């Protein structure tokens, strides 16, 4: 797939809660096709202390509007600065990067996410819906205010929630949700979010013989396979998450 280094202007912000927002960029040029799981490397402007580009999953793409959207959770200086820019400001983006989720003929699908790991799942759900899959989303967070975009996901399937403090949905961790009591009804699981969540989900999938793909969010620097700072151990050796991932079948991962 063709990678582009392209200037965009900030079209809009949508604030979701105190620590997350959606940022939409528009280009004067046509945008490249993107697949579910692809990410971009965004250069944060006017931030000399944010030297490296930041890897962020593609939330959505509108080809007629020539726009790309990203869901950003503020964790440090880059994600904070990106949320403080002015609409109309120019931002340079390299995309589409990485591999993508596989879309084989699964009928009953469980998608689990937490934190910024919900981002790749709008594009994924849209692609799965075209294949007539039935989708159950299970999103976990510390507390109710961290749960966002549920109305958007409800367009594609049933949305289940866990919060650690019990303020929304089931109290506890993602893997403590009752849906896992009968997880054998699913023939595919996709997961993205904090490593402990993905590992726990992958363990259950392995035990039940359910095919499972995880999109890893390892720290990155160069983003194109040169610095090796993003490697993850797999059954066939170390692999760069930026070029050979971020999506891996969990059977491959040595966690
Ligand atoms: C393939 C991929 C897709 C991603 N998609 C999204 C997304 O859609 N939305 C989103 O908000 N974030 C996403 N991330 C995570 C995002 O890249 C980091 O949160 C961001 O780079 C942090 O930059 P910062 O300057 O704000 O934080 P920094 O100031 O660099 O660091 C602040 C804190 O965040 C931690 N941190 C930095 N990078 C990561 C990381 N990759 N994972 C976990 N903790 C990190 C640091 O250890 C530090 O504690 C993705 C990461 C990868 C690799
Ligand atoms: S980020 Fe440099 S090799 Fe992956």
């Amino acid at each position: 797939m063709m990678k582009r280094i392209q200037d965009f202007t900030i079209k809009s912000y949508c604030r979701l809660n105190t620590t997350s927002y959606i940022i939409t960029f528009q280009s004067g040029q046509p945008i490249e096709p993107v697949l579910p799981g692809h990410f971009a490397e965004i250069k944060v402007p006017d931030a000399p202390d944010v030297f490296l580009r930041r890897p962020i999953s593609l939330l959505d793409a509108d080809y007629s509007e020539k726009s790309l959207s990203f869901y950003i959770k503020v964790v440090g200086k880059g994600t904070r600065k990106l949320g403080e820019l002015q609409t109309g400001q120019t931002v340079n983006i390299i995309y589409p990067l990485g591999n993508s989720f596989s879309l084989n003929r699964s009928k009953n699908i469980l998608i689990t996410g937490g934190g910024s790991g919900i981002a790749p799942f709008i594009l994924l759900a849209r692609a799965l819906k075209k294949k007539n899959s039935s989708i159950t989303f299970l999103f976990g967070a510390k507390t109710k205010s961290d749960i966002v975009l549920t109305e958007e996901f409800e367009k594609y399937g049933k949305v289940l929630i866990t919060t650690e403090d019990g303020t929304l949905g089931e109290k506890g961790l993602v893997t403590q949700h009752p849906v896992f009591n009968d997880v054998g009804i699913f023939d595919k699981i996709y997961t993205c979010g904090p490593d402990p969540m993905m590992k726990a989900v992958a363990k259950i999938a392995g035990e039940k013989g359910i095919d499972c793909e995880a999109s890893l969010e390892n720290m990155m620097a160069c983003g194109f396979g040169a610095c090796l700072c993003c490697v993850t151990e797999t059954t066939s050796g170390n692999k760069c998450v930026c070029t050979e991932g971020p999506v891996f079948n969990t059977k491959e991962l040595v966690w």
Side-chain angles (χ1 to χ4, degrees):
M1 209 147 210
M2 179 86 157
K3 291 177 187 30
R4 289 280 293 271
I5 304 177
Q6 192 167 347
D7 278 340
F8 286 80
T9 53
I10 299 172
K11 186 181 173 196
S12 64
Y13 284 104
C14 173
R15 309 279 166 191
L16 300 172
N17 57 25
T18 51
T19 56
S20 71
Y21 58 90
I22 291 173
I23 184 168
T24 300
F25 298 98
Q26 193 164 38
S27 175
Q29 304 295 319
I31 58 168
E32 287 299 316
V34 299
L35 295 174
H38 276 156
F39 68 99
E41 286 269 27
I42 302 180
K43 175 92 188 98
V44 183
D46 300 342
D49 55 338
V50 186
F51 178 66
L52 297 166
R53 290 171 182 266
R54 295 306 194 246
I56 306 288
S57 301
L58 266 305
L59 176 74
D60 210 348
D62 185 326
Y63 299 102
S64 58
E65 287 288 310
K66 301 173 187 154
S67 68
L68 298 176
S69 299
F70 299 88
Y71 165 69
I72 312 260
K73 208 166 158 44
V74 176
V75 297
K77 44 191 193 287
T79 45
R80 184 172 307 110
K81 180 69 188 176
L82 210 47
E84 294 169 351
L85 302 171
Q86 302 295 317
T87 52
Q89 195 157 350
T90 302
V91 176
N92 187 268
I93 301 178
I94 305 178
Y95 77 105
L97 297 171
N99 62 358
S100 55
F101 291 107
S102 64
L103 299 169
N104 38 20
R105 291 185 185 280
S106 306
K107 276 278 154 251
N108 205 9
I109 288 166
L110 178 64
I111 293 180
T112 66
S116 58
I118 63 169
F121 293 145
I122 295 285
L123 287 176
L124 177 64
R126 203 174 291 147
L128 291 171
K129 264 316 197 200
K130 285 192 186 146
K131 293 183 170 287
N132 292 322
S133 298
S134 163
I135 305 173
T136 301
F137 299 96
L138 172 57
F139 297 131
K142 284 201 165 20
T143 191
K144 180 180 178 178
S145 58
D146 293 337
I147 296 289
V148 295
L149 295 175
T150 46
E151 283 177 15
E152 194 52 38
F153 286 107
E154 276 164 356
K155 293 178 187 167
Y156 304 100
K158 182 173 166 187
V159 177
L160 306 172
I161 305 289
T162 60
T163 48
E164 288 176 33
D165 64 2
T167 45
L168 191 67
E170 295 287 328
K171 184 172 181 176
L173 302 172
V174 160
T175 44
Q176 291 169 326
H177 193 280
V179 77
F180 281 99
N181 297 340
D182 199 16
V183 72
I185 62 166
F186 299 103
D187 48 10
K188 178 93 189 190
I189 300 179
Y190 297 95
T191 184
C192 184
D195 271 4
M197 183 207 76
M198 292 195 288
K199 285 178 188 175
V201 170
K203 185 166 180 283
I204 295 171
E207 285 163 3
K208 301 285 179 186
I210 305 168
D211 196 53
C212 180
E213 288 181 25
S215 181
L216 307 191
E217 291 194 347
N218 289 19
M219 299 266 217
M220 291 185 183
C222 72
F224 55 85
C227 71
L228 304 183
C229 86
C230 66
V231 290
T232 194
E233 194 182 348
T234 74
T235 49
S236 46
N238 286 341
K239 290 193 174 173
C240 282
V241 174
C242 65
T243 50
E244 297 169 274
V247 179
F248 293 89
N249 193 296
T250 54
K251 276 187 288 203
E252 276 185 77
L253 292 169
V254 181
W255 265 345

